[in-house]
């Protein structure tokens, strides 16, 4: 039997032992297991969280099911107001959250962790404000009939999130699911659960017990148990395409709707007129070098027109090599550390493969240093392989690390064909002053999101998601909330009786 303990992230000091949130209480795992959380910047253990398993998931799902009837009947704008209060409370302590994110993810505080913390409050506030938009329609079937639809909550949502932007992605499940009247069991990533638990600590001060449950644990244990639990009525997953397929298979057993936000190998197409500094800055941003490129939307295939291939890459080398790699908590660091040893070794493996690839030219970067300060953590070096081919493993697989391949093109039609020759279809970037070309390319590229002349992250309000094996469904928007977290019920009344 689990022991309820009022331990919250905020109360801890030293090697924190943090509980998970089930039915409004902070608890250990039923079986007593724990997972040590490592700071990627130093490889030091900074906390431990419960190793939740099937029994814990079952308790959380039951708590969420028990909380659902009352929560679903709270007037939507009242639910929205609660989310906005949580947003205010998070924003009031945003610096604390930024430090937790930087420490546990290895993402640099100035460039990533602080913007993520602020962005998370924004997401909570944005969806809180949408509560009044959970509207239905009336269907004109004639004067003798009233036919209308209601947007009803689905029930208990099971959501699973990754570690690369854990708090933002957590809030992206919490805010729309709860606003729409569902209750939630959120499985945090085993590599970065602390920021999510911190937000849950705050949310728990405002929400009725059981409405939000956050379970920590491994994917194969807690995550898999959540995906097959018969009490879960909707699955929402963000992470690798490989696990996304498992979630979709699990959902088939109970015919549960799924939303999947999966991987990408997103193309950036640079036209010859964009051989300019702003485009180089944009490529650096799109590649997410300052998040160690651990982003599903990373523009990791750079298609450069042959006429500007060398001059553009020279500027890219110059600017990228000026970025400072170092301690995620240091305000002067631009780039932090890779999340864990497994991902770090995987990224190094791709770099080694590129170095051995016949015909590949390593423009800059390479393997991380084996000695010195950077060897204390999982620090990878931004690396660019020029003269790459679109069929290399490096150009096909999601590396999730700072390894960029540059590919030459001369005809637009070839650039677009190569861009689309991928099983992914998440994001894309087009760089040119010529609006006609830009929009032709934007329309021809198979992706859920195309940016022209910028390489920014998602904003609240914009429907974000992928095509092909990058996923199903949209997030970040009103339509995303309506489609992913409600179902439409039709009521048809004969007025002639
Ligand atoms: P992952 O997809 O295994 O993990 C994401 C989440 O899924 C975590 O919470 C994990 O515990 C859970 N999970 C893992 N196996 C599960 C299972 N069998 N059933 C239910 N839940 C499960 O990602 P991982 O292993 O951390 O990273 C591997 C690769 O995945 C990366 O190199 C990258 O290519 C890709 N990835 C993509 C992300 C994206 O946002 N598109 C985010 C994280 C990883
Ligand atoms: Mg995995």
């Amino acid at each position: 039997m689990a022991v309820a303990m009022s331990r919250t992230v905020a109360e801890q000091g030293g090697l924190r032992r943090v509980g998970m949130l089930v039915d409004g209480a902070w608890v250990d795992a039923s079986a007593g297991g724990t997972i040590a959380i490592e700071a990627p910047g130093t490889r030091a253990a900074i906390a431990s969280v419960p190793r939740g398993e099937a029994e814990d998931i079952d308790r959380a799902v039951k708590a969420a099911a028990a909380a659902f009837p009352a929560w679903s009947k709270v007037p939507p704008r009242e639910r929205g107001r609660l989310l906005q209060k949580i947003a205010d409370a998070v924003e009031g302590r945003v610096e604390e959250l930024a430090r937790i994110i930087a420490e546990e993810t290895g993402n640099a505080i100035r460039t990533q962790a602080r913007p993520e913390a602020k962005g998370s409050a924004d997401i909570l506030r944005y969806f809180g404000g949408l509560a009044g938009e959970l509207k239905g329609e009336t269907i004109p079937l004639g004067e003798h009939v009233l036919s209308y639809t209601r947007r009803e909550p689905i029930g208990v949502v099971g959501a699973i999130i990754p570690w690369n932007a854990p708090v933002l992605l957590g809030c992206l499940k919490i805010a729309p699911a709860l606003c729409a009247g569902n209750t939630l069991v959120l499985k945090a990533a085993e590599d970065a659960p602390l920021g999510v638990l911190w937000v849950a600590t705050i949310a728990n001060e405002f929400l009725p017990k059981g409405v939000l449950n956050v379970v920590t644990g491994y994917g194969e244990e807690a995550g898999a148990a959540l995906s097959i639990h018969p009490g879960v009525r909707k699955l929402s997953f963000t992470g690798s395409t490989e696990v996304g397929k498992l979630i979709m298979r699990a959902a088939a057993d109970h015919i549960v709707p799924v939303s999947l936000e999966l991987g990408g190998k997103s193309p950036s197409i640079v036209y010859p007129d964009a051989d300019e500094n702003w485009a180089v800055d944009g490529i650096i941003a799109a590649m997410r070098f300052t998040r160690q490129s651990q982003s599903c939307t990373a523009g990791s295939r750079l298609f450069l027109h042959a006429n500007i291939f060398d001059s553009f890459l020279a500027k890219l080398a110059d600017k990228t090599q000026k970025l400072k790699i170092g301690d995620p908590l240091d305000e002067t660091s631009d780039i932090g550390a890779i999340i864990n040893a497994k991902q770090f070794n995987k990224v190094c493996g791709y770099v080694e493969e590129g170095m051995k690839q016949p015909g590949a030219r390593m423009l800059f970067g390479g393997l991380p240093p084996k000695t010195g300060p950077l060897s204390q953590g999982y620090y990878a070096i931004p690396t660019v392989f020029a003269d790459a081919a679109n069929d290399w493993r490096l150009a096909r697989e999601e590396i999730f690390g700072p390894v960029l391949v540059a590919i030459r093109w001369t005809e637009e039609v070839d650039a677009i064909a190569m861009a689309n020759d991928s099983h992914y279809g998440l994001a894309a970037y087009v760089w040119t002053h010529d609006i006609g070309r830009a929009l032709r390319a934007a329309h021809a590229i198979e992706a859920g999101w195309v940016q022209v002349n910028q390489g920014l992250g998602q904003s609240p309000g914009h429907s974000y998601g992928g095509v092909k094996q990058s996923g199903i469904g949209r997030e970040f928007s009103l339509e995303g909330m309506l489609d992913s977290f409600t179902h439409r019920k039709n009521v048809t009344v004969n007025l002639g009786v």
Side-chain angles (χ1 to χ4, degrees):
M1 183 61 212
V3 192
M5 291 183 215
S6 56
R7 278 196 308 261
T8 64
V9 181
E11 289 163 5
Q12 307 302 311
L15 182 65
R16 297 163 281 171
R17 248 192 99 184
V18 180
M20 59 187 180
L21 180 62
V22 177
D23 205 14
W26 294 90
V27 300
D28 284 338
S30 306
T34 59
I35 299 174
I37 307 303
E38 184 187 27
T42 57
R43 299 194 181 131
I46 50 170
S48 82
V49 297
R51 178 174 170 175
E53 296 181 52
E55 194 183 330
D56 303 294
I57 289 292
D58 186 53
R59 288 177 44 230
V61 172
K62 284 179 176 146
F68 177 71
W71 180 247
S72 63
K73 288 180 190 71
V74 172
R77 282 169 62 195
E78 180 57 30
R79 293 195 299 255
R81 261 197 297 279
L82 288 172
L83 285 169
Q84 289 177 327
K85 284 183 187 165
I86 297 168
D88 289 342
V90 168
E91 197 153 63
R93 290 164 62 185
V94 81
E95 200 50 34
E96 218 177 297
L97 178 58
R99 294 186 69 81
I100 293 171
I101 296 174
E103 194 177 22
E104 71 169 335
T105 63
N107 292 341
I109 189 152
R110 189 191 88 252
T111 60
Q112 297 299 323
R114 189 173 294 120
E116 179 180 345
K118 289 181 177 163
S120 302
D122 257 5
I123 290 285
L124 292 163
R125 181 168 301 116
Y126 167 76
F127 282 104
L130 289 182
E133 296 301 319
L134 292 155
K135 295 184 284 201
E137 302 105 20
T138 53
I139 297 98
L141 296 184
E143 285 307 304
H144 61 295
V145 179
L146 170 61
S147 185
Y148 64 96
T149 61
R150 285 159 53 87
R151 285 287 186 175
E152 295 186 346
I154 300 173
V156 177
V157 173
I160 299 173
I161 52 171
W163 42 263
N164 55 330
V167 178
L168 189 85
L169 296 172
C171 289
L172 212 46
K173 308 294 186 199
I174 295 169
L178 266 46
C179 180
N182 306 281
T183 55
L184 181 62
V185 177
L186 180 66
K187 209 295 277 175
E190 55 269 43
D191 291 294
L194 301 177
V196 177
L197 291 168
W198 185 94
V199 169
T201 308
I202 289 186
N204 194 42
E205 289 167 17
F206 296 94
L207 297 171
K209 69 178 182 140
V211 168
L212 170 65
N213 305 272
V214 180
V215 176
T216 52
Y218 292 115
E220 297 75 9
E221 297 175 355
L226 182 59
S227 71
I228 60 171
H229 197 289
V232 170
R233 303 287 295 273
K234 156 86 195 185
L235 285 165
S236 179
F237 172 78
T238 303
S240 62
T241 295
E242 187 195 357
V243 175
K245 290 178 186 180
L246 298 177
I247 301 292
M248 201 163 167
R249 284 194 196 108
D253 266 350
H254 302 118
I255 314 289
V256 169
V258 288
S259 306
L260 303 172
E261 297 290 338
L262 309 176
K265 190 75 186 176
S266 298
S268 243
I269 301 181
V270 185
Y271 283 80
D273 66 329
D275 186 17
E276 294 170 355
N277 281 325
W278 62 269
V280 176
D281 290 335
I283 293 295
I284 290 169
M287 180 52 185
R288 316 276 187 256
F289 273 134
T290 60
R291 211 197 308 158
Q292 301 78 257
S293 305
Q294 298 172 122
S295 161
C296 39
T297 51
S300 52
R301 289 185 298 151
L302 176 58
F303 294 101
L304 288 173
H305 191 272
N307 291 353
I308 60 165
F309 195 82
D310 293 319
S311 53
F312 194 94
L313 286 180
K315 288 195 271 290
L316 182 68
D318 185 49
K319 279 177 177 278
T320 307
Q321 287 175 289
K322 287 198 176 111
L323 296 171
K324 184 180 162 201
I325 307 171
D327 180 1
L329 287 159
D330 182 340
E331 291 289 334
T332 66
S333 296
D334 298 303
I335 298 177
I338 297 276
I339 187 73
N340 58 27
K342 185 178 150 222
Q343 289 297 114
F344 179 74
N345 292 332
K346 182 178 156 191
V347 172
C348 293
Y350 280 106
V351 174
E352 269 168 2
E353 181 169 328
M355 290 164 84
K356 288 190 208 128
Q357 181 83 37
R361 176 161 58 92
M362 195 172 79
L363 190 69
F364 61 87
L367 288 168
K370 295 248 187 310
T371 55
L374 291 188
S375 67
Q376 306 301 306
Y378 303 118
Y379 297 97
I381 314 291
T383 300
V384 174
F385 289 103
D387 303 316
N390 200 41
D391 61 358
W392 291 359
R393 217 167 68 93
L394 266 70
R396 303 200 72 78
E397 296 179 6
E398 183 178 52
I399 297 175
F400 234 58
V403 184
L404 178 65
V405 291
I407 300 169
R408 212 180 279 262
W409 62 276
T410 45
E411 300 296 329
E412 182 180 284
V413 57
D414 298 330
I416 288 168
M418 284 191 285
N420 287 342
D421 182 16
S422 168
H423 58 288
Y424 290 120
L426 193 52
Y429 308 84
V430 179
W431 310 86
T432 175
H433 294 276
D434 181 330
I435 188 72
R437 277 172 158 176
L439 297 186
R440 262 196 328 268
H443 297 175
I445 292 171
E446 296 165 356
W449 182 26
V450 183
Q451 294 184 72
V452 176
N453 295 338
Q454 63 168 31
L456 303 180
Q458 303 87 328
S459 307
H462 129 227
S463 266
Y464 163 75
V467 299
K468 294 155 86 177
Q469 290 190 29
S470 289
I472 298 174
R474 296 291 177 263
E475 288 188 321
F476 267 99
S477 61
L478 172 60
E479 314 86 78
M481 174 172 77
L482 295 175
D483 293 348
S484 295
F485 295 109
T486 72
H487 66 81
R488 247 198 198 91
K489 177 188 278 177
N490 180 273
V491 181
T492 304
V493 186
N494 178 353
L495 300 180
V497 183

